[in-house]
Amino acid sequence: MLDSLHLSPWATTAIAALAAVFAAAIGHRIAALLALRATRPAPLLHAVVQACVPVMRVLLPLVALQMVWQAASDEQRYIASVRHLNGLLVIACGTWLLMRGIRGLANGIIARHPADVEDNLQARRIATQARVLSRTAMSGVFMAGLAMMLMTFPGARQVGASLLASAGVVGLVAGIAARPVFSNMIAGLQIALAQPIRIDDVLIIEGEWGRVEEITGTYVVLRIWDERRLIIPLQWFIENPFQNWTRNSSEILGTVFLYADYRLPLEPLRAELDRVLETAPEWDRRVKVLQLTDVTERTIQIRVLVSARSSGLAFDLRCRVREALVTFIQRDYPECLPQVRMPATAESGQEPLRGGVSSML
């Protein structure tokens, strides 16, 4: 029919291309609805399909166009360039599709293990592994797609062949230049597998207290308690020691130190601690200890040890206990607050006592 209308070769090809794009769009619409409905009972597969649907909306028309260009006559002007450009777009979209699929798989795994529960250690472990491994895999897919696109250029293949002659020097230079990249990539795999840190872990790094907010392919974002962000390279965690307060469990002990006079009785203070903890929602009822841990020539040191379900609750509990016990001593035993004693002088009319306490200022 098209030949009977005496259309030019490019006009015929253009009409065929429009028809192919239209058919691909309809096919994508139908296939997407069916795939989303069929995978709804499987949340993991459903997440992958949801991530891939937007890319397929672009990829299917490109594949249909590539079939049209391949079927077109080789004698058409610029057809080789059009085929090459469309092929590059197909490879780029295919790489994008694989990366979206990997991300959807990771998000599906994370969604199956929510971290908004009290004991979220297992969920944080899985989330860390899924995010780090998925980003590593996506980086590999991106590099493979870029290499495939470069291999479609004859000039790039010739350059690669010529570089093989000086592979020793080039390899040495490339290895030195890429050392930080590969070091962080290997460190990311080590963190994903060994998991010295996880998402939402509480860390102490160089005196800073914060939670792991994000783990990327090259660095870790630590959210400090005052909303600052500390950016740390992945390799740093492999080469330096650090504190992880939630390595095996989020439960933690909190310590409160008090300093008082020797005359302070401890039993009323223990009774006050019991009363405060019974009304404290932060206390998990595991540990409750009040001990006299040290004495000096002027004061006694009292240590209160309490437990909480997380470091944040432990901090709030320590503040609550410290405030309540100090208020108790101020109210009921004000004379037992830390005192400074000095021997009496001749001006006061008293003889100074040697080796003892004579008066209190």
Side-chain angles (χ1 to χ4, degrees), residues 114-185:
D116 55 348
V117 294
E118 183 174 342
D119 187 9
N120 59 359
L121 182 63
Q122 179 70 10
R124 292 189 292 112
R125 180 183 295 114
I126 292 175
T128 301
Q129 287 181 334
R131 290 181 181 177
V132 175
L133 292 177
S134 64
R135 283 170 179 164
T136 303
M138 289 166 62
S139 299
V141 169
F142 176 79
M143 295 301 295
L146 183 61
M148 291 179 62
M149 294 177 67
L150 289 176
M151 291 300 293
T152 61
F153 294 91
R157 290 196 295 267
Q158 294 175 3
V159 171
S162 62
L163 288 177
L164 290 177
S166 56
V169 177
V170 173
L172 180 62
V173 174
I176 295 174
R179 181 181 176 275
V181 177
F182 289 112
S183 296
N184 282 322
M185 184 177 297

Side-chain angles (χ1 to χ4, degrees), residues 258-269 292 296 298-302 325-341 360-361:
L258 299 175
Y259 296 88
D261 190 75
Y262 274 77
R263 293 176 293 178
L264 177 68
L266 297 183
E267 289 307 318
L269 196 62
L292 178 62
T296 67
R298 295 180 179 178
T299 61
I300 61 175
Q301 182 189 75
I302 302 170
L325 294 184
V326 169
T327 302
F328 173 75
I329 297 174
Q330 291 173 338
R331 183 184 67 243
D332 294 353
Y333 298 94
E335 71 282 1
C336 295
L337 294 171
Q339 307 285 343
V340 177
R341 296 180 174 85
M360 180 173 64
L361 296 181

